[in-house]
Amino acid sequence: MSLGGEKKIVVVIGGGVAGSLVAKSLQNEANVSLIDEKEYFEITWASLRSMVEYSFAKRSVITHSEYLPHAKIISSAAVDITDTDVLTKQGNRIWYDYLVVATGHTQNTASTKTEKINQYQAENEKIKAANSILIVGGGPTGVELAAEIVVDFPDKKVTLVHRGSRLLEFIGESASKKALNWLTSKKVEVILGQSVDVNSASDGVYRTSGGETVTADCHFVCIGTPFGSTWLKETILKDNLDSRGRLMVDSNLRIKGHSNIFAIGDITDIPELKQGYLAQEHAKVAAKNIMLLIKGVENDHKFAVYKPATKALALVSLGRKEGVAQFPCLSIAGRIPGMIKSGDLFVGKTRKGLGLQPDI
């Protein structure tokens, strides 16, 4: 607390996995403002299930005000940061004592929960109406979407094109081979080492970079998006970005050279996989450290330290009951990893962590 009993002001930019949790953790201890272009938090690892079962989004898309009853929600983009405040696109200056940057990756997404659910309904109808579907990208998003479609709609012809030499390149070869075998056993055609320009399609015929043709009624592009940091190049944090556009942080998750500004989640330069459960760990460490600062602790030895997750632990769901898991020493596929993730996709657990009913 500051003099006169006034609460300190914490501003969080970005309402994704990391930003939502840090705002939730601090809303009773400080005057928290969450700046986010959209009015909701989405459990992103459940988004592909929402495409084959759009009602799933009613639990996985959560309006910020549902879990932040004591915070101020500012539905706008941040466009500038100074030593004292954040400027929003709408022209408002939001003062802060402590700032958390959690803008992750860029997303062109719906701004309201209703719009987002309607988007999933439209994608669901697109899948249902198609006999053949092209998926571009063989990372976790492309693999999980292909699996969701062939499990729920086994009669549809699914083709997955990936420019890499193997699927799921972020995990070990053994796990990626298991995912490939699973997809091909479900009659998914997988084309590796090639890319597709989806804009060059005519009459449902797509050409690959290798000269092959793929016929499909519709397509989904599942490739990574850039870090949400371009706007930071015009702010006081411009010298804290690395060559890839990530914010450089210390072991306490503070941006180097700024004692009261933190960065968490995918936008950080922490050498580890960019995964949702790790972003949540970042949020816990940052929240603890801001609480210590609010209480007037200045001894660095008392601050929580974040240790990067150097060993890859990954779970990729393959439809509703199966999955592939990469543990530090082995990889497994089938029902066991499916039991861990694929049924509910951690939606109940995540909702519970935000203080909400797990299974509305």
mmCIF file of all heavy atoms in Angstrom, residues 42-84:
data_model
loop_
_atom_site.group_PDB
_atom_site.id
_atom_site.type_symbol
_atom_site.label_atom_id
_atom_site.label_comp_id
_atom_site.label_asym_id
_atom_site.label_seq_id
_atom_site.Cartn_x
_atom_site.Cartn_y
_atom_site.Cartn_z
ATOM 1 N N GLU A 42 -9.680 -16.162 -24.291
ATOM 2 C CA GLU A 42 -10.006 -17.459 -24.892
ATOM 3 C C GLU A 42 -8.985 -18.503 -24.482
ATOM 4 O O GLU A 42 -7.777 -18.261 -24.534
ATOM 5 C CB GLU A 42 -10.034 -17.366 -26.420
ATOM 6 C CG GLU A 42 -10.335 -18.723 -27.028
ATOM 7 C CD GLU A 42 -10.580 -18.713 -28.523
ATOM 8 O OE1 GLU A 42 -10.189 -17.753 -29.197
ATOM 9 O OE2 GLU A 42 -11.159 -19.689 -29.011
ATOM 10 N N ILE A 43 -9.491 -19.668 -24.067
ATOM 11 C CA ILE A 43 -8.600 -20.801 -23.782
ATOM 12 C C ILE A 43 -8.182 -21.348 -25.152
ATOM 13 O O ILE A 43 -8.882 -22.138 -25.777
ATOM 14 C CB ILE A 43 -9.323 -21.867 -22.932
ATOM 15 C CG1 ILE A 43 -9.832 -21.231 -21.623
ATOM 16 C CG2 ILE A 43 -8.394 -23.041 -22.635
ATOM 17 C CD1 ILE A 43 -10.755 -22.125 -20.805
ATOM 18 N N THR A 44 -7.032 -20.868 -25.619
ATOM 19 C CA THR A 44 -6.664 -21.088 -27.027
ATOM 20 C C THR A 44 -6.475 -22.554 -27.383
ATOM 21 O O THR A 44 -6.737 -22.954 -28.507
ATOM 22 C CB THR A 44 -5.378 -20.316 -27.367
ATOM 23 O OG1 THR A 44 -4.433 -20.519 -26.322
ATOM 24 C CG2 THR A 44 -5.642 -18.834 -27.487
ATOM 25 N N TRP A 45 -6.015 -23.357 -26.434
ATOM 26 C CA TRP A 45 -5.781 -24.762 -26.783
ATOM 27 C C TRP A 45 -7.087 -25.549 -26.941
ATOM 28 O O TRP A 45 -7.073 -26.723 -27.265
ATOM 29 C CB TRP A 45 -4.855 -25.438 -25.768
ATOM 30 C CG TRP A 45 -5.233 -25.217 -24.335
ATOM 31 C CD1 TRP A 45 -6.108 -25.947 -23.595
ATOM 32 C CD2 TRP A 45 -4.739 -24.190 -23.465
ATOM 33 N NE1 TRP A 45 -6.194 -25.444 -22.319
ATOM 34 C CE2 TRP A 45 -5.362 -24.367 -22.204
ATOM 35 C CE3 TRP A 45 -3.824 -23.140 -23.620
ATOM 36 C CZ2 TRP A 45 -5.111 -23.527 -21.117
ATOM 37 C CZ3 TRP A 45 -3.587 -22.316 -22.528
ATOM 38 C CH2 TRP A 45 -4.216 -22.514 -21.299
ATOM 39 N N ALA A 46 -8.217 -24.883 -26.726
ATOM 40 C CA ALA A 46 -9.515 -25.528 -26.966
ATOM 41 C C ALA A 46 -10.164 -25.029 -28.249
ATOM 42 O O ALA A 46 -11.244 -25.477 -28.622
ATOM 43 C CB ALA A 46 -10.446 -25.264 -25.785
ATOM 44 N N SER A 47 -9.501 -24.106 -28.953
ATOM 45 C CA SER A 47 -10.158 -23.434 -30.082
ATOM 46 C C SER A 47 -10.471 -24.374 -31.238
ATOM 47 O O SER A 47 -11.455 -24.186 -31.946
ATOM 48 C CB SER A 47 -9.304 -22.263 -30.570
ATOM 49 O OG SER A 47 -8.054 -22.710 -31.019
ATOM 50 N N LEU A 48 -9.658 -25.409 -31.430
ATOM 51 C CA LEU A 48 -9.895 -26.290 -32.574
ATOM 52 C C LEU A 48 -11.101 -27.194 -32.340
ATOM 53 O O LEU A 48 -11.832 -27.512 -33.269
ATOM 54 C CB LEU A 48 -8.639 -27.104 -32.876
ATOM 55 C CG LEU A 48 -7.423 -26.188 -33.123
ATOM 56 C CD1 LEU A 48 -6.131 -26.957 -33.077
ATOM 57 C CD2 LEU A 48 -7.558 -25.441 -34.439
ATOM 58 N N ARG A 49 -11.332 -27.577 -31.084
ATOM 59 C CA ARG A 49 -12.537 -28.340 -30.752
ATOM 60 C C ARG A 49 -13.778 -27.485 -31.043
ATOM 61 O O ARG A 49 -14.803 -27.999 -31.491
ATOM 62 C CB ARG A 49 -12.495 -28.746 -29.275
ATOM 63 C CG ARG A 49 -13.720 -29.504 -28.753
ATOM 64 C CD ARG A 49 -13.866 -30.919 -29.327
ATOM 65 N NE ARG A 49 -12.637 -31.701 -29.290
ATOM 66 C CZ ARG A 49 -12.196 -32.372 -28.222
ATOM 67 N NH1 ARG A 49 -12.889 -32.358 -27.098
ATOM 68 N NH2 ARG A 49 -11.073 -33.056 -28.292
ATOM 69 N N SER A 50 -13.673 -26.177 -30.796
ATOM 70 C CA SER A 50 -14.814 -25.287 -31.043
ATOM 71 C C SER A 50 -15.171 -25.213 -32.525
ATOM 72 O O SER A 50 -16.290 -24.847 -32.877
ATOM 73 C CB SER A 50 -14.512 -23.880 -30.514
ATOM 74 O OG SER A 50 -14.296 -23.911 -29.118
ATOM 75 N N MET A 51 -14.223 -25.573 -33.398
ATOM 76 C CA MET A 51 -14.518 -25.548 -34.833
ATOM 77 C C MET A 51 -15.365 -26.747 -35.250
ATOM 78 O O MET A 51 -16.159 -26.650 -36.182
ATOM 79 C CB MET A 51 -13.216 -25.499 -35.635
ATOM 80 C CG MET A 51 -12.523 -24.147 -35.514
ATOM 81 S SD MET A 51 -10.838 -24.120 -36.181
ATOM 82 C CE MET A 51 -11.164 -24.226 -37.941
ATOM 83 N N VAL A 52 -15.200 -27.873 -34.565
ATOM 84 C CA VAL A 52 -16.021 -29.046 -34.906
ATOM 85 C C VAL A 52 -17.250 -29.154 -34.004
ATOM 86 O O VAL A 52 -18.192 -29.868 -34.309
ATOM 87 C CB VAL A 52 -15.206 -30.367 -34.864
ATOM 88 C CG1 VAL A 52 -14.094 -30.353 -35.901
ATOM 89 C CG2 VAL A 52 -14.653 -30.665 -33.485
ATOM 90 N N GLU A 53 -17.227 -28.439 -32.876
ATOM 91 C CA GLU A 53 -18.369 -28.430 -31.945
ATOM 92 C C GLU A 53 -18.453 -27.012 -31.374
ATOM 93 O O GLU A 53 -17.897 -26.722 -30.320
ATOM 94 C CB GLU A 53 -18.126 -29.453 -30.815
ATOM 95 C CG GLU A 53 -19.261 -29.554 -29.822
ATOM 96 C CD GLU A 53 -18.861 -30.306 -28.552
ATOM 97 O OE1 GLU A 53 -17.859 -31.038 -28.550
ATOM 98 O OE2 GLU A 53 -19.570 -30.129 -27.556
ATOM 99 N N TYR A 54 -19.133 -26.128 -32.100
ATOM 100 C CA TYR A 54 -19.021 -24.702 -31.761
ATOM 101 C C TYR A 54 -19.582 -24.362 -30.383
ATOM 102 O O TYR A 54 -19.210 -23.366 -29.777
ATOM 103 C CB TYR A 54 -19.610 -23.813 -32.854
ATOM 104 C CG TYR A 54 -21.121 -23.797 -32.941
ATOM 105 C CD1 TYR A 54 -21.864 -22.890 -32.186
ATOM 106 C CD2 TYR A 54 -21.798 -24.672 -33.775
ATOM 107 C CE1 TYR A 54 -23.246 -22.870 -32.263
ATOM 108 C CE2 TYR A 54 -23.181 -24.659 -33.860
ATOM 109 C CZ TYR A 54 -23.901 -23.759 -33.102
ATOM 110 O OH TYR A 54 -25.260 -23.733 -33.170
ATOM 111 N N SER A 55 -20.469 -25.211 -29.827
ATOM 112 C CA SER A 55 -21.005 -24.934 -28.481
ATOM 113 C C SER A 55 -19.915 -25.042 -27.411
ATOM 114 O O SER A 55 -20.051 -24.514 -26.306
ATOM 115 C CB SER A 55 -22.158 -25.881 -28.154
ATOM 116 O OG SER A 55 -21.702 -27.213 -28.175
ATOM 117 N N PHE A 56 -18.804 -25.720 -27.735
ATOM 118 C CA PHE A 56 -17.662 -25.844 -26.811
ATOM 119 C C PHE A 56 -17.108 -24.459 -26.463
ATOM 120 O O PHE A 56 -16.585 -24.239 -25.371
ATOM 121 C CB PHE A 56 -16.574 -26.697 -27.487
ATOM 122 C CG PHE A 56 -15.602 -27.346 -26.532
ATOM 123 C CD1 PHE A 56 -15.964 -28.447 -25.775
ATOM 124 C CD2 PHE A 56 -14.307 -26.861 -26.404
ATOM 125 C CE1 PHE A 56 -15.058 -29.049 -24.901
ATOM 126 C CE2 PHE A 56 -13.396 -27.456 -25.533
ATOM 127 C CZ PHE A 56 -13.784 -28.552 -24.786
ATOM 128 N N ALA A 57 -17.259 -23.511 -27.402
ATOM 129 C CA ALA A 57 -16.717 -22.156 -27.188
ATOM 130 C C ALA A 57 -17.437 -21.419 -26.063
ATOM 131 O O ALA A 57 -16.896 -20.464 -25.501
ATOM 132 C CB ALA A 57 -16.806 -21.352 -28.482
ATOM 133 N N LYS A 58 -18.651 -21.866 -25.706
ATOM 134 C CA LYS A 58 -19.379 -21.175 -24.630
ATOM 135 C C LYS A 58 -18.641 -21.296 -23.300
ATOM 136 O O LYS A 58 -18.790 -20.463 -22.416
ATOM 137 C CB LYS A 58 -20.798 -21.739 -24.507
ATOM 138 C CG LYS A 58 -21.675 -21.310 -25.668
ATOM 139 C CD LYS A 58 -23.018 -21.971 -25.666
ATOM 140 C CE LYS A 58 -23.812 -21.556 -26.904
ATOM 141 N NZ LYS A 58 -24.935 -22.427 -27.178
ATOM 142 N N ARG A 59 -17.832 -22.355 -23.152
ATOM 143 C CA ARG A 59 -17.029 -22.525 -21.930
ATOM 144 C C ARG A 59 -15.611 -22.008 -22.096
ATOM 145 O O ARG A 59 -14.971 -21.615 -21.129
ATOM 146 C CB ARG A 59 -16.979 -24.007 -21.526
ATOM 147 C CG ARG A 59 -18.295 -24.538 -20.998
ATOM 148 C CD ARG A 59 -18.230 -26.051 -20.799
ATOM 149 N NE ARG A 59 -17.225 -26.410 -19.815
ATOM 150 C CZ ARG A 59 -16.281 -27.337 -20.025
ATOM 151 N NH1 ARG A 59 -16.208 -27.979 -21.155
ATOM 152 N NH2 ARG A 59 -15.423 -27.616 -19.075
ATOM 153 N N SER A 60 -15.095 -22.048 -23.325
ATOM 154 C CA SER A 60 -13.676 -21.708 -23.522
ATOM 155 C C SER A 60 -13.448 -20.247 -23.907
ATOM 156 O O SER A 60 -12.321 -19.779 -23.920
ATOM 157 C CB SER A 60 -13.051 -22.626 -24.581
ATOM 158 O OG SER A 60 -13.715 -22.479 -25.816
ATOM 159 N N VAL A 61 -14.523 -19.516 -24.234
ATOM 160 C CA VAL A 61 -14.415 -18.073 -24.487
ATOM 161 C C VAL A 61 -15.091 -17.378 -23.303
ATOM 162 O O VAL A 61 -16.287 -17.546 -23.064
ATOM 163 C CB VAL A 61 -15.100 -17.683 -25.821
ATOM 164 C CG1 VAL A 61 -14.997 -16.177 -26.049
ATOM 165 C CG2 VAL A 61 -14.454 -18.434 -26.991
ATOM 166 N N ILE A 62 -14.304 -16.636 -22.535
ATOM 167 C CA ILE A 62 -14.759 -16.109 -21.235
ATOM 168 C C ILE A 62 -14.631 -14.582 -21.235
ATOM 169 O O ILE A 62 -13.536 -14.045 -21.412
ATOM 170 C CB ILE A 62 -13.891 -16.708 -20.096
ATOM 171 C CG1 ILE A 62 -13.978 -18.238 -20.101
ATOM 172 C CG2 ILE A 62 -14.293 -16.137 -18.745
ATOM 173 C CD1 ILE A 62 -12.837 -18.927 -19.368
ATOM 174 N N THR A 63 -15.741 -13.884 -21.054
ATOM 175 C CA THR A 63 -15.698 -12.421 -20.991
ATOM 176 C C THR A 63 -14.802 -12.005 -19.809
ATOM 177 O O THR A 63 -14.917 -12.558 -18.717
ATOM 178 C CB THR A 63 -17.120 -11.865 -20.795
ATOM 179 O OG1 THR A 63 -17.968 -12.445 -21.782
ATOM 180 C CG2 THR A 63 -17.153 -10.361 -20.947
ATOM 181 N N HIS A 64 -13.911 -11.033 -20.041
ATOM 182 C CA HIS A 64 -12.969 -10.615 -18.989
ATOM 183 C C HIS A 64 -13.685 -10.278 -17.674
ATOM 184 O O HIS A 64 -13.199 -10.604 -16.594
ATOM 185 C CB HIS A 64 -12.155 -9.394 -19.438
ATOM 186 C CG HIS A 64 -11.158 -9.675 -20.514
ATOM 187 N ND1 HIS A 64 -10.299 -10.754 -20.478
ATOM 188 C CD2 HIS A 64 -10.872 -8.997 -21.664
ATOM 189 C CE1 HIS A 64 -9.518 -10.725 -21.564
ATOM 190 N NE2 HIS A 64 -9.853 -9.687 -22.291
ATOM 191 N N SER A 65 -14.843 -9.631 -17.774
ATOM 192 C CA SER A 65 -15.533 -9.207 -16.548
ATOM 193 C C SER A 65 -16.013 -10.381 -15.696
ATOM 194 O O SER A 65 -16.253 -10.236 -14.503
ATOM 195 C CB SER A 65 -16.724 -8.301 -16.896
ATOM 196 O OG SER A 65 -17.585 -8.969 -17.806
ATOM 197 N N GLU A 66 -16.122 -11.590 -16.302
ATOM 198 C CA GLU A 66 -16.566 -12.772 -15.544
ATOM 199 C C GLU A 66 -15.569 -13.139 -14.440
ATOM 200 O O GLU A 66 -15.953 -13.532 -13.351
ATOM 201 C CB GLU A 66 -16.738 -13.990 -16.468
ATOM 202 C CG GLU A 66 -17.959 -13.963 -17.355
ATOM 203 C CD GLU A 66 -18.039 -15.222 -18.201
ATOM 204 O OE1 GLU A 66 -18.165 -16.339 -17.624
ATOM 205 O OE2 GLU A 66 -17.962 -15.116 -19.444
ATOM 206 N N TYR A 67 -14.277 -13.025 -14.756
ATOM 207 C CA TYR A 67 -13.262 -13.440 -13.768
ATOM 208 C C TYR A 67 -12.506 -12.245 -13.183
ATOM 209 O O TYR A 67 -11.647 -12.423 -12.322
ATOM 210 C CB TYR A 67 -12.279 -14.449 -14.398
ATOM 211 C CG TYR A 67 -11.410 -13.865 -15.482
ATOM 212 C CD1 TYR A 67 -10.163 -13.326 -15.189
ATOM 213 C CD2 TYR A 67 -11.853 -13.817 -16.810
ATOM 214 C CE1 TYR A 67 -9.373 -12.767 -16.171
ATOM 215 C CE2 TYR A 67 -11.079 -13.250 -17.803
ATOM 216 C CZ TYR A 67 -9.844 -12.731 -17.470
ATOM 217 O OH TYR A 67 -9.067 -12.167 -18.446
ATOM 218 N N LEU A 68 -12.832 -11.036 -13.663
ATOM 219 C CA LEU A 68 -12.172 -9.825 -13.149
ATOM 220 C C LEU A 68 -13.206 -8.841 -12.605
ATOM 221 O O LEU A 68 -13.300 -7.691 -13.078
ATOM 222 C CB LEU A 68 -11.363 -9.148 -14.273
ATOM 223 C CG LEU A 68 -10.124 -9.878 -14.790
ATOM 224 C CD1 LEU A 68 -9.518 -9.134 -15.970
ATOM 225 C CD2 LEU A 68 -9.086 -10.059 -13.677
ATOM 226 N N PRO A 69 -13.982 -9.239 -11.589
ATOM 227 C CA PRO A 69 -15.009 -8.335 -11.081
ATOM 228 C C PRO A 69 -14.438 -7.080 -10.433
ATOM 229 O O PRO A 69 -15.132 -6.065 -10.328
ATOM 230 C CB PRO A 69 -15.762 -9.192 -10.060
ATOM 231 C CG PRO A 69 -14.793 -10.264 -9.658
ATOM 232 C CD PRO A 69 -13.982 -10.535 -10.877
ATOM 233 N N HIS A 70 -13.171 -7.126 -9.987
ATOM 234 C CA HIS A 70 -12.592 -5.987 -9.275
ATOM 235 C C HIS A 70 -11.538 -5.248 -10.099
ATOM 236 O O HIS A 70 -10.776 -4.444 -9.551
ATOM 237 C CB HIS A 70 -11.988 -6.447 -7.945
ATOM 238 C CG HIS A 70 -12.963 -7.218 -7.113
ATOM 239 N ND1 HIS A 70 -14.182 -6.709 -6.727
ATOM 240 C CD2 HIS A 70 -12.913 -8.490 -6.626
ATOM 241 C CE1 HIS A 70 -14.835 -7.627 -6.025
ATOM 242 N NE2 HIS A 70 -14.097 -8.706 -5.964
ATOM 243 N N ALA A 71 -11.467 -5.537 -11.392
ATOM 244 C CA ALA A 71 -10.488 -4.844 -12.245
ATOM 245 C C ALA A 71 -11.224 -3.964 -13.250
ATOM 246 O O ALA A 71 -12.408 -4.154 -13.503
ATOM 247 C CB ALA A 71 -9.626 -5.863 -12.980
ATOM 248 N N LYS A 72 -10.492 -3.017 -13.804
ATOM 249 C CA LYS A 72 -11.060 -2.165 -14.852
ATOM 250 C C LYS A 72 -10.634 -2.751 -16.192
ATOM 251 O O LYS A 72 -9.447 -3.032 -16.395
ATOM 252 C CB LYS A 72 -10.518 -0.734 -14.690
ATOM 253 C CG LYS A 72 -11.142 0.257 -15.649
ATOM 254 C CD LYS A 72 -10.575 1.655 -15.401
ATOM 255 C CE LYS A 72 -11.206 2.657 -16.374
ATOM 256 N NZ LYS A 72 -10.552 3.968 -16.281
ATOM 257 N N ILE A 73 -11.598 -2.942 -17.091
ATOM 258 C CA ILE A 73 -11.274 -3.525 -18.394
ATOM 259 C C ILE A 73 -11.364 -2.429 -19.447
ATOM 260 O O ILE A 73 -12.388 -1.748 -19.576
ATOM 261 C CB ILE A 73 -12.215 -4.709 -18.707
ATOM 262 C CG1 ILE A 73 -11.901 -5.855 -17.744
ATOM 263 C CG2 ILE A 73 -12.010 -5.200 -20.135
ATOM 264 C CD1 ILE A 73 -13.069 -6.536 -17.188
ATOM 265 N N ILE A 74 -10.269 -2.240 -20.177
ATOM 266 C CA ILE A 74 -10.208 -1.199 -21.207
ATOM 267 C C ILE A 74 -10.113 -1.897 -22.557
ATOM 268 O O ILE A 74 -9.086 -2.492 -22.896
ATOM 269 C CB ILE A 74 -8.991 -0.271 -20.960
ATOM 270 C CG1 ILE A 74 -9.148 0.431 -19.602
ATOM 271 C CG2 ILE A 74 -8.830 0.734 -22.080
ATOM 272 C CD1 ILE A 74 -7.865 0.908 -18.993
ATOM 273 N N SER A 75 -11.212 -1.857 -23.321
ATOM 274 C CA SER A 75 -11.260 -2.566 -24.611
ATOM 275 C C SER A 75 -10.651 -1.686 -25.704
ATOM 276 O O SER A 75 -11.348 -0.948 -26.398
ATOM 277 C CB SER A 75 -12.703 -2.931 -24.958
ATOM 278 O OG SER A 75 -13.193 -3.828 -23.992
ATOM 279 N N SER A 76 -9.349 -1.781 -25.825
ATOM 280 C CA SER A 76 -8.617 -0.984 -26.814
ATOM 281 C C SER A 76 -7.231 -1.590 -26.982
ATOM 282 O O SER A 76 -6.817 -2.418 -26.171
ATOM 283 C CB SER A 76 -8.500 0.467 -26.340
ATOM 284 O OG SER A 76 -7.806 1.251 -27.297
ATOM 285 N N ALA A 77 -6.529 -1.169 -28.013
ATOM 286 C CA ALA A 77 -5.121 -1.567 -28.164
ATOM 287 C C ALA A 77 -4.251 -0.530 -27.462
ATOM 288 O O ALA A 77 -4.626 0.633 -27.357
ATOM 289 C CB ALA A 77 -4.758 -1.627 -29.634
ATOM 290 N N ALA A 78 -3.097 -0.973 -26.965
ATOM 291 C CA ALA A 78 -2.097 -0.033 -26.448
ATOM 292 C C ALA A 78 -1.242 0.414 -27.627
ATOM 293 O O ALA A 78 -0.908 -0.403 -28.489
ATOM 294 C CB ALA A 78 -1.249 -0.697 -25.384
ATOM 295 N N VAL A 79 -0.904 1.707 -27.668
ATOM 296 C CA VAL A 79 -0.090 2.194 -28.793
ATOM 297 C C VAL A 79 1.224 2.842 -28.351
ATOM 298 O O VAL A 79 2.123 3.034 -29.161
ATOM 299 C CB VAL A 79 -0.889 3.181 -29.687
ATOM 300 C CG1 VAL A 79 -2.018 2.460 -30.406
ATOM 301 C CG2 VAL A 79 -1.424 4.368 -28.894
ATOM 302 N N ASP A 80 1.331 3.170 -27.051
ATOM 303 C CA ASP A 80 2.597 3.755 -26.580
ATOM 304 C C ASP A 80 2.760 3.504 -25.091
ATOM 305 O O ASP A 80 1.776 3.340 -24.359
ATOM 306 C CB ASP A 80 2.631 5.263 -26.854
ATOM 307 C CG ASP A 80 4.033 5.863 -26.645
ATOM 308 O OD1 ASP A 80 5.019 5.085 -26.659
ATOM 309 O OD2 ASP A 80 4.144 7.088 -26.478
ATOM 310 N N ILE A 81 4.029 3.432 -24.657
ATOM 311 C CA ILE A 81 4.355 3.291 -23.231
ATOM 312 C C ILE A 81 5.384 4.363 -22.899
ATOM 313 O O ILE A 81 6.383 4.522 -23.614
ATOM 314 C CB ILE A 81 4.962 1.903 -22.926
ATOM 315 C CG1 ILE A 81 3.950 0.786 -23.191
ATOM 316 C CG2 ILE A 81 5.447 1.823 -21.476
ATOM 317 C CD1 ILE A 81 4.569 -0.615 -23.132
ATOM 318 N N THR A 82 5.138 5.103 -21.812
ATOM 319 C CA THR A 82 6.149 6.022 -21.285
ATOM 320 C C THR A 82 6.546 5.508 -19.900
ATOM 321 O O THR A 82 6.058 4.464 -19.455
ATOM 322 C CB THR A 82 5.603 7.465 -21.158
ATOM 323 O OG1 THR A 82 4.678 7.497 -20.060
ATOM 324 C CG2 THR A 82 4.909 7.921 -22.434
ATOM 325 N N ASP A 83 7.400 6.245 -19.204
ATOM 326 C CA ASP A 83 7.815 5.829 -17.854
ATOM 327 C C ASP A 83 6.664 5.861 -16.863
ATOM 328 O O ASP A 83 6.753 5.276 -15.787
ATOM 329 C CB ASP A 83 8.932 6.749 -17.332
ATOM 330 C CG ASP A 83 10.245 6.464 -18.047
ATOM 331 O OD1 ASP A 83 10.540 5.276 -18.274
ATOM 332 O OD2 ASP A 83 10.945 7.431 -18.400
ATOM 333 N N THR A 84 5.583 6.556 -17.209
ATOM 334 C CA THR A 84 4.500 6.735 -16.231
ATOM 335 C C THR A 84 3.146 6.212 -16.690
ATOM 336 O O THR A 84 2.275 5.969 -15.874
ATOM 337 C CB THR A 84 4.323 8.234 -15.905
ATOM 338 O OG1 THR A 84 4.130 8.941 -17.147
ATOM 339 C CG2 THR A 84 5.512 8.795 -15.163
#
